[in-house]
Amino acid sequence: ILDVHIAPYYSQGWQQRGAIMVLHDITAIRRLEKMRSEFVANVSHELKTPITSVKGFAETLLSGDVPDEKTAKQFMQIIYDESERLNRLITDLLELSKIEKQAMPLKITDVDVNEVIKNSTLTISNIASDKNISLHLPDNDQPIHIEADSDRLGQIVLNLVANAVNYTSDNGDIFIDVKEEPETLILSVRDTGMGIPKESLGRLFERFYRVDKARSRHSGGTGLGLAIVKHLIESHHGEIHVESEEGVGSTFNVVLPKTQKET
Ligand code: ADP
């Protein structure tokens, strides 16, 4: 898209000698505007869905039209769960906006990656065992040191493992591995889950992109987890790659430099 300005060009006196044309490529600006307005529309939709549900069930409870105590309890549980989801959504949105504005500088220290993996998988191990999913941590649990923000690294691991648990059916396996290269470290999370269709792989890290919206909502997902993960990895000057086969499983590979340059 071009923004065109034309102005007459005069030289010496009032005689017009020509014209000046200024072409301004505003494609990037328009694209940004479009992305921003799509984002606002997405956010509004994501916020509205739980609010509609909370409002509806609260209205029914208030009207006194609920047949029995058990049904009333179920409605209250829905209100509670949907409020929790709103809470998560707002937390994730704030988090994403802080990362994008770079308002949260990393606290780089010497971090033992195996220690971070152990701590962050602890929080998810209950959900995994409820589904009888086995979490396989790296075979070698000797300390592996890199320069990173320990909390952020924990968040990356937690998000990837939580997704692996979420999108793997009962009795599956999740393998977490760490491989050291001379300059980098490769952390991988592999699951034996439902996999991701080829056409979705390129969009996975977009905000609010989900392969199956209903399933993601049902499991309490906000659709922002992988967008946050990608930003956190990039702020560590790393990369994330995904390989997947439908019905077989997915592998997320995180490549992180072992040392962080001063910025
Ligand atoms: P959500 O909150 O929906 O999980 P994410 O940003 O974490 O959002 O992930 C985006 C989408 O990527 C998910 O909705 C899901 O469709 C897909 N996805 C993520 N991780 C996996 C995985 N391990 N296996 C299959 N699909 C996955």
Side-chain angles (χ1 to χ4, degrees):
I1 305 168
L2 290 176
D3 199 10
V4 184
H5 294 276
I6 302 177
Y9 166 62
Y10 300 100
S11 77
Q12 293 170 356
W14 292 105
Q15 182 123 35
Q16 184 174 339
R17 301 288 293 268
I20 300 173
M21 182 158 77
V22 180
L23 298 174
H24 190 190
D25 182 358
I26 55 168
T27 317
I29 298 169
R30 283 287 137 79
R31 195 181 298 138
L32 212 68
E33 279 169 2
K34 187 163 172 272
M35 269 170 65
R36 195 168 294 149
S37 75
E38 273 171 8
F39 179 63
V40 172
N42 273 334
V43 171
S44 314
H45 177 75
E46 295 291 333
L47 292 173
K48 266 205 144 153
T49 315
I51 288 173
T52 307
S53 165
V54 166
K55 201 168 159 232
F57 285 102
E59 267 168 13
T60 313
L61 284 168
L62 285 170
S63 71
D65 286 344
V66 188
D68 51 53
E69 186 77 6
K70 192 167 159 245
T71 316
K73 267 258 163 67
Q74 277 173 351
F75 287 6
M76 288 181 219
Q77 186 67 47
I78 295 173
I79 294 177
Y80 180 83
D81 292 344
E82 291 296 286
S83 317
E84 273 288 292
R85 183 227 288 282
L86 271 174
N87 206 1
R88 265 199 310 275
L89 193 61
I90 291 164
T91 310
D92 278 0
L93 277 170
L94 287 174
E95 174 87 4
L96 199 58
S97 122
K98 272 194 246 163
I99 305 172
E100 283 183 351
K101 278 198 304 198
Q102 296 178 337
M104 254 185 334
L106 299 179
K107 291 192 204 97
I108 301 291
T109 56
D110 192 27
V111 177
D112 172 7
V113 180
N114 271 327
E115 178 84 19
V116 170
I117 292 174
K118 255 184 253 160
N119 291 338
S120 43
T121 45
L122 216 56
T123 39
I124 203 94
S125 58
N126 275 349
I127 305 172
S129 66
D130 283 349
K131 291 178 76 177
N132 202 25
I133 290 176
S134 315
L135 274 181
H136 306 267
L137 299 193
D139 295 334
N140 180 357
D141 67 350
Q142 294 297 308
I144 298 178
H145 290 277
I146 66 164
E147 288 177 6
D149 182 320
S150 162
D151 290 344
R152 298 301 179 196
L153 188 59
Q155 210 177 344
I156 294 168
V157 175
L158 180 62
N159 266 314
L160 292 177
V161 178
N163 274 349
V165 172
N166 235 336
Y167 300 103
T168 298
S169 49
D170 291 3
N171 309 317
D173 288 283
I174 294 168
F175 301 88
I176 305 166
D177 258 311
V178 182
K179 209 167 79 194
E180 266 191 283
E181 307 255 297
E183 306 275 322
T184 57
L185 179 134
I186 304 167
L187 189 153
S188 65
V189 178
R190 177 165 74 87
D191 64 56
T192 57
M194 56 199 288
I196 301 155
K198 270 206 173 46
E199 62 273 18
S200 297
L201 287 176
R203 303 196 55 193
L204 225 52
F205 300 95
E206 286 176 20
R207 301 177 288 195
F208 295 122
Y209 182 81
R210 288 121 155 178
V211 176
D212 178 348
K213 274 204 189 315
R215 190 192 168 100
S216 160
R217 289 224 180 84
H218 181 73
S219 62
T222 61
L224 295 172
L226 285 181
I228 293 177
V229 162
K230 185 160 195 255
H231 273 292
L232 290 176
I233 292 170
E234 284 175 353
S235 60
H236 280 88
H237 312 284
E239 291 167 17
I240 181 161
H241 306 281
V242 55
E243 292 158 24
S244 186
E245 196 178 331
E246 272 187 283
V248 177
S250 312
T251 307
F252 287 82
N253 289 309
V254 178
V255 184
L256 290 170
K258 284 186 184 168
T259 56
Q260 295 288 324
K261 289 184 204 76
E262 296 276 335
T263 44

